Amino acid sequence: MSKERYIEAKQKWAEKQKARGVTARATASTERLPPGQKLTTGFPVLDLGVQPEIPLAQWTLTLDGEVGKPTVLSWAQLNTLPQVEDVSDFHCVTDWSKFDCRWGGVAFTTLYELVQPKPEAKFVYFTSYDGYATNVPLAQCLDDDVLLATAFDGAPLTREHGGPARIIIPKLYAWKGAKFVQGITFLNADKLGFWEVRGYSNTANPWTEDRYA
Ligand SMILES: Nc1nc2c(c(=O)[nH]1)N[C@H]1C(S)=C(S)[C@@H](COP(=O)(O)O)O[C@H]1N2
Ligand SMILES: [Mo]
């Protein structure tokens, strides 16, 4: 399927679900597997059909917006920051979940401390090398399981899964985690990302099946 048709099909699906009155549940499930999800042991690849190739020598991550210290990190600089590992579950809105993903990289809080966001920074807008974007309230990015991941299962993150670096936010549907991340902008007002403007939920809580806006 072409990129345009894939995007159109996903957007139409969200609109159809909305028209049917499918909305988030009032009460969150307390199960490990969120409602409506199927467990997978593989690792499906989901993106816009473009997996940009970014040589590490040319890779940069720009951190800007409402911050005291706007920063552009090179790959070498990124790798001098403290490295962490975290095991978490992964939930895609297209109904599959994967348990126990072992991610390695830099904690979001490390980046936060590096650029010193101003008090007015309340939202984060992520942009990617494939033209993707997504947005998350800053408070949700400060959980200790939120990572800028550069490794999976102890090996460098592959391009198909968003390498050189991607964002992981385990408590939200996986579209909130930008693969091939290029920029992190701290904002004082919310700005909707790629799927958020195409009918997908802005809040994206898997345990209330908060799939569509
Ligand atoms: N840059 C970028 N990031 C993205 C996407 C994308 O199309 N482009 N798709 C999102 C969606 S819908 C999901 S489910 C996950 C998929 O990650 P995976 O391919 O490693 O399974 O990446 C998210 N991040
Ligand atoms: Mo997804």
Side-chain angles (χ1 to χ4, degrees):
M1 206 192 309
S2 74
K3 176 180 162 179
E4 288 71 24
R5 283 191 51 205
Y6 167 77
I7 293 166
E8 204 182 311
K10 243 180 128 173
Q11 180 169 8
K12 283 228 172 89
W13 174 253
E15 281 160 8
K16 200 171 114 190
Q17 298 308 106
K18 253 188 295 182
R20 285 178 51 207
V22 176
T23 51
R25 301 171 180 221
T27 315
S29 162
T30 54
E31 300 290 317
R32 180 176 180 185
L33 185 67
Q37 295 292 107
K38 291 180 207 75
L39 199 57
T40 178
T41 48
F43 198 172
V45 171
L46 263 101
D47 50 46
L48 304 176
V50 186
Q51 295 173 349
E53 189 162 4
I54 308 110
L56 295 182
Q58 277 148 46
W59 183 92
T60 57
L61 175 66
T62 300
L63 300 130
D64 59 9
E66 302 288 340
V67 297
K69 294 190 172 174
T71 303
V72 180
L73 289 174
S74 68
W75 183 252
Q77 287 166 330
L78 176 69
N79 286 285
T80 64
L81 298 176
Q83 303 290 311
V84 294
E85 256 198 3
D86 186 70
V87 177
S88 59
D89 299 344
F90 191 96
H91 311 292
C92 172
V93 73
T94 61
D95 290 1
W96 58 272
S97 292
K98 180 175 174 60
F99 283 172
D100 296 320
C101 299
R102 183 160 63 99
W103 301 105
V106 173
F108 186 90
T109 51
T110 299
L111 300 174
Y112 176 88
E113 285 159 19
L114 189 74
V115 299
Q116 299 174 11
K118 297 175 183 170
E120 39 288 26
K122 299 282 184 230
F123 300 92
V124 184
Y125 187 77
F126 299 93
T127 53
S128 297
Y129 282 96
D130 63 346
Y132 190 77
T134 188
N135 59 298
V136 180
L138 174 58
Q140 287 183 300
C141 295
L142 299 178
D143 283 353
D144 58 10
D145 57 5
V146 176
L147 302 190
L148 174 67
T150 54
F152 180 78
D153 252 346
L157 186 62
T158 59
R159 180 147 64 104
E160 60 174 4
H161 287 299
R166 75 175 301 169
I167 301 294
I168 291 297
I169 308 176
K171 295 187 188 79
L172 301 178
Y173 281 122
W175 86 77
K176 290 288 187 179
K179 297 165 73 170
F180 326 110
V181 66
Q182 179 174 27
I184 302 180
T185 303
F186 294 81
L187 298 173
N188 58 17
D190 205 4
K191 176 178 173 183
L192 298 181
F194 188 90
W195 289 121
E196 290 83 0
V197 300
R198 290 174 174 79
Y200 286 81
S201 167
N202 193 25
T203 39
N205 178 355
W207 289 273
T208 57
E209 282 209 66
D210 179 15
R211 299 172 193 270
Y212 314 106

